[in-house]
Amino acid sequence: MQQFLDQLNAQVPLEGYLVVAAIMFAIGAWGALIRRNAVVVFMCVELMINAVNLTLVAFADFLPGAGGAGASYAVLVIAIAAAEVAVGLAIVLAIFRTRRTVNIDEVDSLRG
């Protein structure tokens, strides 16, 4: 029992974080490529961005000379992602108001 608890309290190796981030990024890329709903595509892009953030924070934690640079970049990426979502959802909402659909295949022209 004690050995099991020690394994639970052990530090996760860097490879563990990178594997989880790679899986998150792959799921996000797969979803962004196959889905046609613009809102779902945004969610998949956010999943890919969060995978990159996980990688940045993991490297910042494991590299001795990083000095928190990875976490700083992650905060910057989160701020940029929030702005990207605000602009993207505004565009999707405008398209929905004019065409009554958010299907990417049906929106093939930028004319209103």
Side-chain angles (χ1 to χ4, degrees):
M1 183 67 180
Q2 183 62 33
Q3 185 180 8
F4 177 71
L5 291 175
D6 289 340
Q7 287 180 347
L8 284 178
N9 290 330
Q11 186 177 15
V12 178
L14 178 62
E15 293 84 11
Y17 291 111
L18 295 180
V19 166
V20 170
I23 291 170
M24 286 173 56
F25 193 88
I27 291 171
W30 179 71
L33 290 175
I34 67 163
R35 300 300 296 221
R36 297 293 171 237
N37 188 329
V39 176
V40 175
V41 170
F42 269 119
M43 291 187 331
C44 292
V45 169
E46 290 299 316
L47 187 62
M48 290 190 301
I49 290 172
N50 284 327
V52 171
N53 283 339
L54 178 62
T55 303
L56 286 171
V57 172
F59 276 118
D61 189 34
F62 278 90
L63 293 178
S72 300
Y73 283 124
V75 170
L76 178 68
V77 168
I78 289 170
I80 292 171
E84 171 254 336
V85 166
V87 172
L89 286 179
I91 292 171
V92 169
L93 186 61
I95 290 172
F96 180 76
R97 284 183 179 169
T98 58
R99 299 176 189 220
R100 294 291 175 202
T101 183
V102 290
N103 190 343
I104 295 172
D105 289 337
E106 296 177 17
V107 181
D108 56 356
S109 168
L110 292 179
R111 291 189 65 197

